[in-house]
Amino acid sequence: MKRIVLKALNILTYAMNSHIPFKKVYWIRDNYFSRLRQGIFLFKDYISKRPYKKIEFFGEFQQELTFVLPFAYWHHLNGTLATTISSKGTSPFYFFSKTHIEKNEPRDWLNNSKNFEIPNMGHSNSFSYRKWARLPLKQHYRNDEFVFEKPLLVIANKYNLEWLEQPINFFSLDLLDQIINEFKSSYSIIYNRPLSTAIVVDESEILDLGEYDWLRKNHPEVVLLNDLHQQYPAYHFNELQLKVYANAEKFISVHGGTGTLASYFGGINIIYSKRGLEHVFGEFELIFPKLSGAKILHAKTEKEILKFAKQHF
């Protein structure tokens, strides 16, 4: 039956999305199928409304943030959430879940392709918000502990393999130097590039950009989140990220889970993305702003990053 439905959806999806490259259309089809499957849960979700839902996910961090967390939070608000299960260190994101289980399993992007239990299971040019609720991370984690002299500007970077290739979307040392020199007089700058020891990694190996010693030497005024974590070891790194981000309104981030997390805290988030399915489906205009109401500015070049920052910061 599943095979028949998928074949029918293939025809429908291709007919409705002829402007999308043929090899990308299956992402939309799979989203349609996952939404259709929600009909199985009509009675449990809207009539009996007892805690039954077990949500388990070990896929990409970005997909967890955009699709899984809002789905789990909707079930929490609906009274139907029973258990959430995810990778090590994810409890701070599932603060609302009465029973959250962390398993010592690596993230695997193929996990996304097997999971039809979530209405929005992957990249698409349209999303269902029927069982999707905005998660109040900023409101929950805003605090008086991580307050700095000036307003916060968070630079959220990454430097890892992408699509099994060398790094594509990242801030170079030269670009970091330009951003910091431009804004250090007006903002307290937080720099964040999580190390593999702080987060659960997937097949995208984290590489060494060599910026930490460079920043300590050339820009000692910049607070390195990894160094801050050493000062506050009682906090898991993810909880520290959330507490610091919750006190910020300005973000410059990069493609992937890094930019997605920065979109959860309102204000303005400039996302540097040179390539990705988000471009094909227009996701920076669709679902990213819905995560918190943040203003999302998609920069495709380093020049655009600086232009947007000077205009809006």
Side-chain angles (χ1 to χ4, degrees):
M1 184 64 181
K2 174 182 175 181
R3 186 176 299 177
I4 295 173
V5 174
L6 285 173
K7 284 185 177 180
L9 284 175
N10 262 336
I11 298 171
L12 176 64
T13 307
Y14 294 151
M16 294 174 60
N17 297 275
S18 59
H19 59 291
I20 299 293
F22 181 78
K23 292 183 178 180
K24 312 294 185 187
V25 172
Y26 78 92
W27 287 93
I28 305 172
R29 179 208 65 184
D30 287 353
N31 268 16
Y32 287 164
F33 181 70
S34 64
R35 292 176 207 173
L36 283 175
R37 287 199 78 259
Q38 288 301 306
I40 300 171
F41 309 107
L42 280 173
F43 180 81
K44 290 183 177 180
D45 287 345
Y46 297 106
I47 299 176
S48 66
K49 298 185 72 170
R50 295 176 181 176
Y52 81 95
K53 198 68 175 180
K54 174 184 174 182
I55 299 175
E56 185 170 4
F57 189 80
F58 297 98
E60 291 181 329
F61 185 47
Q62 176 175 331
Q63 312 303 322
E64 185 162 20
L65 291 174
T66 48
F67 309 134
V68 183
L69 271 173
F71 180 59
Y73 191 59
W74 180 88
H75 273 285
H76 164 71
L77 296 176
N78 195 49
T80 44
L81 183 64
T83 307
T84 52
I85 305 170
S86 187
S87 304
K88 285 288 185 181
T90 53
S91 291
F93 299 107
Y94 291 89
F95 66 87
F96 55 89
S97 178
K98 292 182 179 179
T99 306
H100 181 68
I101 300 170
E102 295 183 357
K103 291 186 177 181
N104 191 23
E105 294 190 24
R107 292 185 178 274
D108 177 11
W109 74 271
L110 289 174
N111 183 272
N112 298 17
S113 63
K114 303 171 187 175
N115 195 334
F116 289 96
E117 297 298 315
I118 300 161
N120 305 298
M121 65 166 290
H123 296 286
S124 184
N125 58 356
S126 67
F127 299 101
S128 171
Y129 300 101
R130 185 171 296 175
K131 294 182 181 179
W132 190 101
R134 180 179 291 176
L135 188 65
L137 285 181
K138 189 178 186 74
Q139 294 85 341
H140 184 78
Y141 283 104
R142 185 182 287 134
N143 60 88
D144 296 325
E145 187 172 11
F146 297 102
V147 177
F148 297 83
E149 181 182 355
K150 292 173 282 191
L152 283 182
L153 167 60
V154 174
I155 301 175
N157 200 7
K158 71 174 184 179
Y159 191 67
N160 54 256
L161 299 182
E162 296 183 82
W163 305 291
L164 304 179
E165 301 176 17
Q166 289 301 303
I168 297 170
N169 302 295
F170 67 95
F171 302 139
S172 65
L173 298 189
D174 180 63
L175 179 59
L176 288 174
D177 194 48
Q178 292 182 66
I179 294 172
I180 293 168
N181 284 329
E182 180 70 31
F183 294 105
K184 64 183 181 181
S185 62
S186 302
Y187 292 91
S188 293
I189 298 176
I190 302 286
Y191 178 78
N192 184 25
R193 184 175 70 84
L195 301 176
S196 58
T197 54
I199 59 174
V200 176
V201 298
D202 54 22
E203 71 282 352
S204 300
E205 179 187 355
I206 295 177
L207 305 177
D208 184 13
L209 182 58
E211 81 279 31
Y212 291 112
D213 288 340
W214 177 84
L215 282 167
R216 294 185 186 103
K217 178 181 178 181
N218 295 282
H219 293 288
E221 69 279 4
V222 174
V223 177
L224 306 180
L225 201 65
N226 286 305
D227 289 354
L228 193 64
H229 188 220
Q230 294 180 10
Q231 299 174 36
Y232 294 87
Y235 292 129
H236 185 279
F237 185 80
N238 282 333
E239 185 176 6
L240 180 65
Q241 283 190 107
L242 294 170
K243 284 180 170 291
V244 171
Y245 282 28
N247 287 350
E249 295 287 335
K250 302 291 192 302
F251 298 86
I252 302 177
S253 62
V254 295
H255 178 103
T258 302
T260 311
L261 180 60
S263 301
Y264 256 95
F265 298 90
I268 299 174
N269 182 22
I270 300 170
I271 301 179
Y272 180 37
S273 176
K274 297 165 66 176
R275 170 182 149 195
L277 288 172
E278 293 83 353
H279 298 223
V280 176
F281 297 122
E283 292 176 21
F284 292 124
E285 294 77 35
L286 288 175
I287 197 165
F288 276 69
K290 287 189 175 293
L291 293 172
S292 68
K295 183 179 183 66
I296 306 298
L297 301 171
H298 174 201
K300 297 179 182 178
T301 65
E302 292 188 352
K303 287 184 179 180
E304 282 191 323
I305 295 171
L306 292 167
K307 182 184 78 171
F308 288 153
K310 291 175 182 178
Q311 288 175 345
H312 296 275
F313 291 178

